[in-house]
């Protein structure tokens, strides 16, 4: 079962039921910390009615509805379960007494050394241009980081993430329109790069590097084919790219154009669906959504 340990938006009851999403739990932020945002009650993230519906739905069990002795009973495979059927809803009684098993923790998680790269924007901050970052390293390795800049004593981080393809290559596009015009340079950082080894249930650090950065022209959102317009051929282009990046490559500008769902995280099937919505006129403009940036005082 999956869970969302920390989230801003939660799904709706209708979506959970329709998607048969048997989540173990989700826990919505109610204190935004330095951003001073209460995500649970902020209508941008969760409407009042959606929150009421979720709390009152029989599909969702809230903390106060859990049994008080939840953690005092242990059940293991092989326990006996009996079910009684009658005029009332069925009840299940488990007859097992097991001595709790001890768990141990280790400090074997690898430590990744943050990598930093200075990038001159050449006067492109505050324009409709995009900063394209190209990475190379271990094929299939997940990588994340930020592009950061300082204005006075305030440091702003625009977060990004990508997974390198089978050739060990990945591209990230950063919208420069959100960066103040006064910013002359930024610092690209790689926070984490690793692959997961299921056999050992551990992460293996990857030597991923930023190999090139360039400032491109204004993105034509959705135009993966770079023909100056957005159509069903762009949807097909993105789907073919996602299915086989090596056989169906897209240029850096095309990838920038196609990154329209959670803009800043790369190109996936979700981006093709957003472009399709635009073509079908079910949404008015692209990008459909943009990765949020985190701001912390230096």
């Amino acid at each position: 079962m999956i869970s969302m340990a920390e989230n801003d938006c939660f799904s709706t009851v209708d979506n959970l039921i329709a998607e048969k999403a048997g989540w173990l739990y989700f826990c919505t932020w109610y204190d935004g910390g330095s951003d001073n945002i209460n995500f649970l009650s902020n209508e941008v993230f969760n409407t009042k009615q959606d929150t009421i519906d979720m709390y009152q739905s029989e599909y969702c069990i809230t903390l106060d509805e859990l049994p008080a002795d939840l953690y005092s009973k242990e059940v293991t495979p092989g326990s006996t379960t009996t079910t009684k059927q009658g005029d009332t809803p069925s009840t299940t009684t488990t007859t097992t007494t097991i001595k709790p098993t001890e768990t141990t923790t280790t400090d074997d998680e690898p430590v990744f050394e943050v990598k930093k790269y200075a990038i001159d924007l050449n006067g492109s901050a505050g324009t409709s241009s995009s900063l394209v970052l190209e990475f190379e390293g271990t094929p299939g390795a997940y990588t994340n980081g930020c592009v950061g800049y300082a204005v006075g004593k305030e440091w702003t981080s625009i977060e990004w993430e990508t997974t390198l393809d089978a050739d060990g290559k990945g591209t990230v596009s950063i919208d420069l329109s959100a960066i103040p015009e006064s910013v002359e340079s930024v610092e690209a950082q790689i926070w984490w790069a690793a692959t997961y080894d299921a056999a050992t249930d551990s992460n293996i650090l990857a030597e991923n590097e930023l190999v090139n950065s360039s400032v491109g022209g204004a993105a034509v959102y959705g135009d993966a084919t770079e023909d100056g317009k957005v159509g069903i051929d762009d949807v097909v282009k993105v789907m073919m790219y996602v299915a086989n990046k090596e056989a169906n490559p897209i240029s850096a500008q095309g990838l920038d154009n196609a990154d329209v769902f959670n803009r800043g995280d790369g190109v996936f099937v979700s981006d093709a669906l957003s472009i399709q919505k635009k073509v079908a006129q079910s949404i008015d403009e692209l990008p459909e959504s943009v990765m949020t940036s985190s701001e912390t005082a230096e």
Side-chain angles (χ1 to χ4, degrees), residues 202-220:
S202 62
N203 290 310
I204 301 175
L205 296 183
E207 291 299 324
N208 294 357
E209 295 283 353
L210 175 65
V211 295
N212 187 46
S213 63
S214 59
V215 176
V220 180

Side-chain angles (χ1 to χ4, degrees), residues 5-24:
E6 301 176 66
N7 64 279
D8 43 21
C9 302
F10 55 74
S11 184
T12 63
V13 175
D14 289 342
N15 283 344
L16 291 178
I17 295 174
E19 297 169 1
K20 299 179 180 179
W23 290 356
L24 178 63

